[in-house]
Amino acid sequence: MDVKALYKLSYGLYIISSRKEDKFNGQIANTLFQITSEPPTVAVSINKQNLTHEFIHNSRVFTVSILSKDTPMNFIGNFGFKSGRDINKFARVNYKQGKTGAPVVLDHTLAYLEARVINEMDVGTHTIFTGELVDAAALKSGEPMTYAYYHEVKHGTAPKTAPTYIKEEKKVSKTVQYRCTVCNYIYNPEEGDPDGGIAPGTPFEEIPDDWVCPVCGASKDQFEKVEE
């Protein structure tokens, strides 16, 4: 069975946020879909290991920030490859509290949704939360980030807790590549890291020591050579 056939399914890229008492947390998710229009309801799949799962289960509310196509990778990495158990993800983020008291991320957001949980389904490693919308707004025009664009153009990776995670086989390349040991991002010298100021054709050894992984923010010394 070729599980990579699942890559052909369409997904977006969103920040799902919630609260637990006076604490906030949020994470990147791609498995979000509309269920009904009357009343307007949506559903999201969240890994049970994630802190956001605990917050949604406890508060029965969640928000969705629909990210724009030009969202920087380090912003995505803050919500996708770091844990709210270790850091405050909202420390340097513009947000507001919605009608339910849950945070709504505003940076790089085209539109947002706010929902109250009306049902949840246990699907093994994940829970599908169904929420009825209590608020929604379009903030600006632009193209939303798709999961395909995130992978194919931004060269983003999926954390192991993502519902769409598939272990990738090592790829043979003529150039020496380096892998981030935190999030598995691959630095390819042929492509460089234009968003991080690293021009295409720059060998890993010539990257400044203060450069960090564009996905998760890991330091240069946390990269390892990809062995063929």
Side-chain angles (χ1 to χ4, degrees), residues 48 53 119-129:
K48 293 177 182 177
H53 182 284
N119 195 13
E120 60 179 86
M121 180 185 299
D122 188 322
V123 288
T125 57
H126 290 66
T127 297
I128 297 176
F129 293 101

Side-chain angles (χ1 to χ4, degrees), residues 33-189:
F33 46 98
Q34 183 175 351
I35 302 296
T36 63
S37 57
E38 291 295 336
T41 59
V42 295
V44 64
S45 179
I46 303 292
N47 192 289
K48 293 177 182 177
Q49 298 178 25
N50 294 353
L51 186 62
T52 303
H53 182 284
E54 177 185 328
F55 281 25
I56 296 175
H57 181 76
N58 179 274
S59 66
R60 315 302 293 171
V61 298
F62 65 88
T63 66
V64 179
S65 295
I66 302 171
L67 297 177
S68 64
K69 192 174 183 179
D70 59 358
T71 301
M73 290 297 286
N74 58 357
F75 185 83
I76 295 172
N78 178 61
F79 285 95
F81 290 93
K82 296 180 181 179
S83 173
R85 296 182 178 91
D86 303 322
I87 65 167
N88 175 9
K89 297 184 181 182
F90 290 83
R92 299 180 181 179
V93 174
N94 291 316
Y95 69 93
K96 70 172 186 176
Q97 284 185 259
K99 291 184 177 181
T100 63
V104 177
V105 174
L106 301 176
D107 291 331
H108 311 292
T109 297
L110 298 180
Y112 70 83
L113 313 173
E114 187 173 4
R116 292 187 185 277
V117 175
I118 57 175
N119 195 13
E120 60 179 86
M121 180 185 299
D122 188 322
V123 288
T125 57
H126 290 66
T127 297
I128 297 176
F129 293 101
T130 302
E132 183 174 341
L133 296 191
V134 298
D135 196 18
L139 302 181
K140 62 181 180 180
S141 60
E143 291 188 54
M145 174 85 75
T146 66
Y147 203 52
Y149 185 87
Y150 168 70
H151 272 288
E152 296 169 10
V153 179
K154 292 285 194 177
H155 305 292
T157 59
K160 292 183 178 180
T161 55
T164 54
Y165 173 76
I166 297 175
K167 185 177 180 180
E168 293 281 357
E169 298 295 329
K170 291 182 179 180
K171 298 179 180 180
V172 177
S173 173
K174 294 181 180 180
T175 59
V176 178
Q177 301 180 346
Y178 286 77
R179 176 188 294 109
C180 175
T181 58
V182 177
C183 72
N184 290 323
Y185 165 81
I186 299 293
Y187 175 78
N188 184 346

